[in-house]
Amino acid sequence: MTPLSAVPPPDEPERVVRSLAAVADDTAVDNETAHEPSTDPEALLLCALMWSAHTGGVSAEDLRITAIVTADDFDDVAYRRMFVVIAGLVTAGEPYDPASVTAAFMRSGSGGAKDAPLRRRLNEVITAGADGFTAVHYADIVLSQSYRRSYRTVATAIVHAAEELPEEF
């Protein structure tokens, strides 16, 4: 079993963190941020999970990934939504291949025009090029990036407090 160490290789480039306001809005899908799913560890993890479903049912690795990784570990709002659906299917023991994930989105009411950008992003993730055997590798990178983002979030809050909060209580 490959460990989820959440420690990136020394030469692993960090992703650019989007503004905290955009991350906080869990209902929006950011259409303006340039992204390339084939080089985005978050997209590749989702892709790998969906394609790992073809390896013979719910694997122990996929169960472990969906138990450790949370939606909050994803910086991209659309990817958070996708992970919630995939993790729910994995936990329920239901199929979580690309067609099943797409169907789950449609059943949840994401078939309308307002969710067209989300479905387009889902199609980009499905074709990102990860295979099912790399899910643990990408989960490790996603966890590492989430860990590093948490320090930036705390640092931003401290700077805000230093600049904006009153000295007297």
Side-chain angles (χ1 to χ4, degrees), residues 11 19 46 163:
D11 60 343
S19 72
L46 297 169
E163 293 174 352

Side-chain angles (χ1 to χ4, degrees), residues 3-23:
L4 287 173
S5 64
V7 178
D11 60 343
E12 180 69 36
E14 290 189 40
R15 289 187 54 216
V16 177
V17 178
R18 295 182 304 132
S19 72
L20 292 176
V23 172

Side-chain angles (χ1 to χ4, degrees), residues 65-89:
I65 289 169
T66 57
I68 294 170
V69 176
T70 68
D72 290 335
D73 291 321
F74 289 82
D75 188 34
D76 187 291
V77 176
Y79 296 161
R80 285 181 188 183
R81 289 181 66 187
M82 290 176 210
F83 180 77
V84 168
V85 170
I86 293 169
L89 292 170

Side-chain angles (χ1 to χ4, degrees), residues 45-123:
L45 170 58
L46 297 169
C47 180
L49 283 170
M50 285 188 279
W51 291 114
S52 71
H54 295 293
T55 60
V58 178
S59 74
E61 292 295 320
D62 293 350
L63 282 170
R64 192 166 63 98
I65 289 169
T66 57
I68 294 170
V69 176
T70 68
D72 290 335
D73 291 321
F74 289 82
D75 188 34
D76 187 291
V77 176
Y79 296 161
R80 285 181 188 183
R81 289 181 66 187
M82 290 176 210
F83 180 77
V84 168
V85 170
I86 293 169
L89 292 170
V90 169
T91 302
E94 296 180 20
Y96 50 102
D97 58 275
S100 298
V101 171
T102 302
F105 270 112
M106 295 303 192
R107 285 192 308 269
S108 71
S110 294
K114 77 172 184 62
D115 283 325
L118 175 66
R119 289 191 313 277
R120 186 171 37 258
R121 297 285 301 277
L122 177 60
N123 285 332

